[in-house]
Amino acid sequence: MVDSILGHPDLISEIKRQVQQKGRITFAEFMDKALYWPQTGYYASDRVRWGKEGDYLTSIDVSPVFGRLFASQLNQMWQILGEPSQFTVVEVGAGRGDLSSQIEGAIKGLFPHFYKAVDFKLVDVNLVSAEKANKKISYHSTIKEIKPHIAGCIISNELVDAFPVHRVIQLDELKEIYVGYSDNGFVEIIAELSNRNLSDYFDRLGIRLGYGQKAEVNLHAMDWIKSVGALLDKGFVITIDYGLPAKELFQHGRNGSLQCYYKHTMNDNPLQRIGYQDITAKVDFTSLALVGKDVGLEVAGWTTQFYFLMGIGVFEELKEVRELDINNLDAFKWNQGIKELMMPGGMGDDFKILIQHKGVEKPLLKGFAFKDLKYTL
C-alpha cells in the first residue's frame, strides 16, 4: 500500500498511467484528477473536508450570521428586480449545502414575502446533501442541468480557487510547468505552452511576469464565468473566494499562490498526499470581471468580506452580553463567530466578494455601502 504521504494508491496509479501514456501532462490535468477523479479525487471522495474534523474551516462553519447576512443581501436583490414571483438562487459548488440551507432558513424567518418567491438549486460534483428532503431545494451534478434564462442570483463560495490551473514560468519567453514521472515519483517539467490562451491571458491584462517568476492561470474560471453569464437572464452573480486584482496577484516578487490544505495545515507541494489534500490557487478577480463583461456581466462591486459584512449590517447581529456567566455562553459564542468572520489578517481580509449584474441598471447594493474597492480591479 502506498504511504499516505504520497496519496491514494489507486489515484496515483491512474495519474501515473496518463503521464506515461502522454510523456507529461499539464498541471491543470494533474490537479483535475487529484481533486475530481471519481471516488478517489479529493472532492469526489467521501472524506470529511470541512470543519474541525476536516482540513479547513469555511465562513459557514464559523458562524450562522454569514448566511443570515447574505439572506438580507438577496432580499434586496429580489426587490431591485421588482419582486418577481420566482427568484432562483443557484449555488455552484454547494458541497454539503450548508450555505443555501442557512440562507433559506434565514429568509424563511426574516423575509416571509421573499420566501414565497425564492427557489434554490444546488450544484456539486459530489452531492453530499442530495438525500435531504426540502421542497425549496433541488440538486444537480452540473450547471448544464439548469435551464437558462433564470432571474435571480448565482452564488459560489470557495469554488473558483479550486478549479484546475495551468502553471507557467517566465523565462526568455513564457513556458509551462508540466507534471512528469521518474523513478523518484512525480516531477515538474518545463516545456512549451500547451495552450495559446495562456499567453493571451497575460496580454489582455497588459502584464509581463518577471524573469523566473511562476504563476497560475485559471482558464477554467474564464469558461465558468461565461457559462454563468449565459445561464442568467436578469440578476446577479456572487463570487466569494480567496483572491486579488491581477496587478497584485502577478506583481514582480510573487511566485505563484498555489496552496495545499491538509488537517488545518498548509503546504506548497501538490505532488504529495494526492487525493488526500486540497489544492487551491488565488482567484484573479480582474480577469473574472473582464471576461464577465464579454457575456453581459457588469461589476456591481468588489470588496473584502470585512467591508461587505459591515455594509450589510453585521454589528446589528451582535448579542448584548452584560456579564460573563453560564447564561451568556451562547451569546459569547455567537459574538465570537462574528469576530472570526471579520478578523483583519484572517477571514475578513482574505476573502473577497465580487458581485456582477446583468439586466439591471447600476444597482446600489448594501454590501458595498461601507467600502467598494472595484476601482482596484
Side-chain angles (χ1 to χ4, degrees), residues 74 76-90 114 117 119 147-155 227-238 295-298 355-363 365:
L74 289 171
Q76 187 202 16
M77 291 173 170
W78 176 64
Q79 293 171 340
I80 289 172
L81 293 189
E83 302 188 359
S85 58
Q86 181 171 344
F87 184 94
T88 302
V89 177
V90 180
F114 177 33
D119 173 42
K147 293 181 180 180
H149 309 301
I150 68 169
C153 183
I154 301 170
I155 302 176
S227 67
V228 165
L231 183 63
L232 189 68
D233 183 51
K234 185 177 183 182
F236 303 86
V237 178
I238 302 177
V295 289
L297 295 173
E298 297 293 331
I355 300 185
Q356 295 156 287
H357 63 94
K358 184 178 181 181
V360 183
E361 289 296 325
K362 295 182 180 179
L365 299 175

Side-chain angles (χ1 to χ4, degrees), residues 121-194:
K121 298 183 184 299
L122 272 58
V123 180
D124 199 278
V125 293
N126 189 5
L127 290 173
V128 176
S129 302
E131 74 280 0
K132 294 183 178 179
N134 188 325
K135 64 181 180 180
K136 278 286 182 183
I137 299 178
S138 61
Y139 301 88
H140 308 269
S141 59
T142 171
I143 199 170
K144 294 178 181 178
E145 295 176 7
I146 299 174
K147 293 181 180 180
H149 309 301
I150 68 169
C153 183
I154 301 170
I155 302 176
S156 69
N157 181 32
E158 294 189 64
L159 169 71
V160 181
D161 71 313
F163 286 157
V165 295
H166 291 264
R167 298 183 70 199
V168 298
I169 182 170
Q170 182 69 54
L171 298 176
D172 291 334
E173 58 185 11
L174 194 65
K175 300 284 188 178
E176 186 161 2
I177 302 172
Y178 293 79
V179 174
Y181 193 85
S182 70
D183 293 339
N184 295 322
F186 293 108
V187 295
E188 294 182 356
I189 297 174
I190 297 175
E192 301 299 317
L193 298 179
S194 64

Side-chain angles (χ1 to χ4, degrees), residues 133-330:
N134 188 325
K135 64 181 180 180
K136 278 286 182 183
I137 299 178
S138 61
Y139 301 88
H140 308 269
S141 59
T142 171
I143 199 170
K144 294 178 181 178
E145 295 176 7
I146 299 174
K147 293 181 180 180
H149 309 301
I150 68 169
C153 183
I154 301 170
I155 302 176
S156 69
N157 181 32
E158 294 189 64
L159 169 71
V160 181
D161 71 313
F163 286 157
V165 295
H166 291 264
R167 298 183 70 199
V168 298
I169 182 170
Q170 182 69 54
L171 298 176
D172 291 334
E173 58 185 11
L174 194 65
K175 300 284 188 178
E176 186 161 2
I177 302 172
Y178 293 79
V179 174
Y181 193 85
S182 70
D183 293 339
N184 295 322
F186 293 108
V187 295
E188 294 182 356
I189 297 174
I190 297 175
E192 301 299 317
L193 298 179
S194 64
N195 191 326
R196 182 179 175 181
N197 289 336
L198 295 172
S199 56
D200 292 345
Y201 185 94
F202 291 102
D203 289 342
R204 180 169 187 171
L205 293 169
I207 287 175
R208 180 180 171 84
L209 301 175
Y211 188 87
Q213 184 179 359
K214 297 177 181 178
E216 295 80 35
V217 179
N218 196 336
L219 295 180
H220 192 103
M222 305 303 99
D223 294 334
W224 176 79
I225 200 67
K226 290 176 184 177
S227 67
V228 165
L231 183 63
L232 189 68
D233 183 51
K234 185 177 183 182
F236 303 86
V237 178
I238 302 177
T239 305
I240 309 161
D241 226 316
Y242 295 98
L244 294 166
K247 61 186 177 184
E248 292 184 49
L249 185 60
F250 301 119
Q251 69 183 2
H252 292 188
R254 283 187 178 272
N255 209 30
S257 65
L258 201 73
Q259 289 287 350
C260 304
Y261 295 87
Y262 178 77
K263 299 296 183 185
H264 299 281
T265 63
M266 288 192 301
N267 69 82
D268 60 1
N269 183 2
L271 303 182
Q272 66 179 1
R273 298 193 181 94
I274 300 169
Y276 296 150
Q277 68 177 2
D278 193 12
I279 307 173
T280 73
K282 280 183 167 43
V283 176
D284 169 12
F285 280 101
T286 300
S287 290
L288 276 186
L290 286 173
V291 175
K293 287 184 178 180
D294 295 340
V295 289
L297 295 173
E298 297 293 331
V299 175
W302 182 79
T303 196
T304 66
Q305 181 166 291
F306 175 86
Y307 292 138
F308 189 81
L309 298 183
M310 286 283 286
I312 300 178
V314 67
F315 288 145
E316 296 174 12
E317 295 290 337
L318 289 171
K319 294 185 176 181
E320 184 176 1
V321 181
R322 289 194 175 91
E323 58 186 29
L324 180 59
D325 62 40
I326 192 68
N327 296 321
N328 280 321
L329 285 181
D330 287 344

Side-chain angles (χ1 to χ4, degrees), residues 7-15 29-50 55-56 124-126 128 162 273-279:
H8 193 291
D10 294 341
L11 184 55
I12 290 174
S13 295
E14 174 58 29
I15 297 175
E29 291 176 291
F30 169 85
M31 187 171 170
D32 181 60
K33 301 295 184 300
L35 296 182
Y36 301 106
W37 190 252
Q39 281 77 57
T40 56
Y42 182 78
Y43 286 111
S45 69
D46 58 2
R47 66 180 284 112
V48 177
R49 298 185 289 277
W50 309 276
D55 299 312
Y56 51 85
D124 199 278
V125 293
N126 189 5
V128 176
R273 298 193 181 94
I274 300 169
Y276 296 150
Q277 68 177 2
D278 193 12
I279 307 173

